[in-house]
Amino acid sequence: MTLKTGWVIPLWLLVLFCVASALAQTSSAPDQMPSVIQVPPEARATTNFDAQAATNAYLAQIPASAKARSDAYFEGGYWMILWDFLYGAVVVLLLLNLRWSARMRNLAERATRFKPVHTLVYWLQYLVLTTILIFPLTVYEDYFREHKYGLATQTFGPWMGDQMKALGVNLVLGGLLAMLLFGVVRRLPRTWWIWGAVVTNLFLIFVVLIAPVYIFPIFNKITRLDDPKVVNPILSMARANGILAKDVYQIDASRQTTRMSANVSGFANTMRITLNDNLLRRGSPEEIQSVVGHEMGHYVLNHIYKGIMYYLIVTVALFACLYRGLDWTLQRWGEKWQIRGVGDTAVLPLVILLVSVLGFVFTPIDNTFTRAQENEADMYGLNTSRQPDGFAQAAIHLGEYRKMSPGPLEEWVFFDHPSGRNRIYAAMRWKAENLKLFTGQ
Ligand SMILES: [Zn+2]
């Protein structure tokens, strides 16, 4: 039997590899969004400028087939939330009911008597096993689906390489967090839900701090941007907004994806602005400035600190639900699953199940918190970059993977950024109300 399974996995990977390579070659995307987006006549600064007409003119630049494709991609994403949740739930229920979780715990206990190492050994087994069980869904969602919509640039080999690197990062960081949290639960059986939330947040802050220097470079090359045509306007915007950035960085995101993006990361002295190379290659100077203005908005409006406060409250509430939920579930099925209690590492699949149920229900609230911050950053970006047309161009480029014109309820539930249509309209309204900046009067 071991011989058989020993053969099956490499064979399966080989078949996947061939199919994936063939698929990747046929996915050159027709009818793409226009690469350079022009300012349509209706959006030019004239005395009869109308924000709604300008918005419609921008949206009309998107070919019907490109719109259909990005709508299909984004709407498919709604279903992916459900399939990810259901598939994950089946996997953890299997681990519990077949008592594989209890067996992994027993094996970890045999390996060592030192509790933190025991947690780490359990985590290692859990992560590798669940990664393999979820792999069919991962390869569909992150590889085939991304290629089908022309968003991925990697062939199967390098993609698989990145998956292995991510597994390594998860082993280390997840293992560290698991050791910390099980330590808290064992020492503070009544109040772990408060202290567990605090530890989780401190850990997240630590990860955010080290990520630009220690984690991102594992997957991508980050270099200092030297082109003065791009850098100088950005640095002068930074100075005008009291941001202490001395350099601008670029990241070779095109290794994995065609998506455009930028970000501001870190706190205080570790703060840096990073643009991805897709944005630098395809974005007009006005577009780049509008995007950077948006990112500066996140920084100046203290969105990182507000986000930390928000997540602290959310995680305390989450851990409180977990405290009750674990108690209730373990009383009923703990014996059947051979889980001794909350401090037993074998409880982990149950924790993951309860967290994903809560996370699933919580999606619209989380999206709304993020979307509100994104909207604030949009307004800040318009005011500081004064590039409404650049911002409209960026919204169209981002529309390659986001639905441009959702219904209001759809936007509330599923969108973590304002929709493309709303972003273009906000930019055109800003232009209408600041028309004198563009007419030279
Ligand atoms: Zn943003």
Side-chain angles (χ1 to χ4, degrees):
M1 201 190 108
T2 42
L3 188 74
K4 246 190 196 165
T5 45
W7 270 100
V8 165
I9 293 175
L11 207 67
W12 184 44
L13 282 176
L14 187 73
V15 170
L16 266 179
F17 187 83
C18 297
V19 175
S21 310
L23 198 106
Q25 278 159 13
T26 56
S27 75
S28 65
D31 306 317
Q32 281 181 334
M33 296 277 183
S35 190
V36 178
I37 291 143
Q38 308 291 342
V39 179
E42 294 86 340
R44 298 212 180 108
T46 54
T47 41
N48 51 5
F49 183 89
D50 174 61
Q52 196 60 62
T55 304
N56 293 338
Y58 264 114
L59 289 168
Q61 293 196 348
I62 302 171
S65 53
K67 180 185 177 297
R69 203 164 56 145
S70 99
D71 284 2
Y73 174 75
F74 202 78
E75 286 164 12
Y78 306 160
W79 289 101
M80 291 315 303
I81 299 174
L82 182 67
W83 301 136
D84 286 345
F85 168 69
L86 291 177
Y87 194 112
V90 168
V91 166
V92 290
L93 283 171
L94 272 178
L95 295 191
L96 293 169
N97 281 300
L98 299 175
R99 290 190 275 276
W100 287 2
S101 186
R103 255 191 264 174
M104 290 191 286
R105 183 245 356 253
N106 295 344
L107 200 74
E109 279 179 348
R110 251 176 283 155
T112 171
R113 285 176 60 198
F114 189 52
K115 288 259 174 174
V117 181
H118 161 183
T119 306
L120 188 65
V121 174
Y122 174 90
W123 171 252
L124 209 142
Q125 303 173 76
Y126 174 85
L127 189 66
V128 171
L129 184 60
T130 51
T131 303
I132 292 171
L133 291 175
I134 293 175
F135 190 72
L137 188 64
T138 311
V139 81
Y140 167 70
E141 191 171 352
D142 284 2
Y143 188 79
F144 289 110
R145 190 166 177 270
E146 291 293 298
H147 270 291
K148 186 179 159 202
Y149 289 98
L151 295 168
T153 56
Q154 272 175 319
T155 52
F156 193 72
W159 177 83
M160 198 60 205
D162 274 0
Q163 296 295 311
M164 297 313 285
K165 289 179 190 172
L167 181 66
V169 171
N170 274 341
L171 275 175
V172 175
L173 291 179
L176 209 59
L177 184 63
M179 286 194 285
L180 286 168
L181 287 179
F182 275 107
V184 170
V185 172
R186 286 175 196 136
R187 271 172 195 76
L188 306 161
R190 286 182 190 287
T191 53
W192 64 259
W193 55 279
I194 301 172
W195 298 111
V198 171
V199 166
T200 303
N201 275 272
L202 289 176
F203 187 79
L204 283 179
I205 294 170
F206 165 75
V207 173
V208 169
L209 269 175
I210 64 159
V213 184
Y214 295 103
I215 300 177
F216 300 160
I218 298 174
F219 301 92
N220 289 90
K221 210 158 88 199
I222 298 168
T223 45
R224 225 181 58 204
L225 193 57
D226 287 323
D227 184 356
K229 276 212 307 284
V230 180
V231 174
N232 289 348
I234 294 176
L235 289 184
S236 85
M237 265 166 68
R239 282 188 290 273
N241 289 281
I243 296 172
L244 301 165
K246 286 188 203 71
D247 298 304
V248 181
Y249 293 84
Q250 74 164 320
I251 184 165
D252 63 342
S254 61
R255 255 175 57 90
Q256 290 99 354
T257 178
T258 60
R259 291 172 163 84
M260 285 187 176
S261 72
N263 70 74
V264 174
S265 58
F267 309 98
N269 290 334
T270 67
M271 164 14 236
R272 57 159 78 177
I273 297 168
T274 311
L275 310 179
N276 92 7
D277 57 347
N278 294 321
L279 173 65
L280 286 167
R281 209 179 50 245
R282 290 178 58 205
S284 66
E286 295 80 13
E287 187 174 345
I288 294 173
Q289 285 166 37
S290 78
V291 171
V292 172
H294 168 100
E295 300 303 333
M296 288 181 178
H298 282 308
Y299 178 75
V300 174
L301 299 167
N302 291 316
H303 284 169
I304 293 178
Y305 302 107
K306 289 174 191 166
I308 290 170
M309 286 310 295
Y310 166 77
Y311 281 108
L312 183 62
I313 295 165
V314 168
T315 39
V316 170
L318 182 89
F319 274 64
C321 294
L322 203 58
Y323 183 78
R324 295 257 167 237
L326 285 173
D327 205 37
W328 190 86
T329 324
L330 287 179
Q331 268 177 21
R332 270 157 195 78
W333 297 288
E335 215 164 312
K336 183 181 168 213
W337 294 334
Q338 295 176 3
I339 300 171
R340 298 170 199 141
V342 193
D344 177 3
T345 45
V347 81
L348 190 66
L350 179 60
V351 172
I352 302 291
L353 178 65
L354 294 178
V355 168
S356 61
V357 170
L358 293 166
F360 185 70
V361 175
F362 197 66
T363 302
I365 300 169
D366 210 28
N367 280 343
T368 297
F369 174 80
T370 313
R371 197 174 59 247
Q373 285 201 331
E374 292 299 336
N375 185 49
E376 281 182 14
D378 281 358
M379 298 307 118
Y380 191 95
L382 283 170
N383 287 330
T384 191
S385 71
R386 303 180 176 192
Q387 300 289 4
D389 291 293
F391 193 68
Q393 292 167 344
I396 291 182
H397 274 144
L398 296 175
E400 287 170 356
Y401 57 92
R402 285 186 196 143
K403 192 174 179 178
M404 290 297 284
S405 305
L409 182 67
E410 190 180 8
E411 186 164 344
W412 186 79
V413 175
F414 292 113
F415 277 64
D416 58 3
H417 284 69
S419 67
R421 173 184 283 277
N422 284 341
R423 293 180 113 173
I424 297 175
Y425 180 70
M428 291 303 109
R429 188 182 53 197
W430 189 94
K431 188 172 182 177
E433 289 165 358
N434 295 276
L435 212 54
K436 61 181 183 302
L437 291 173
F438 304 93
T439 53
Q441 284 158 17

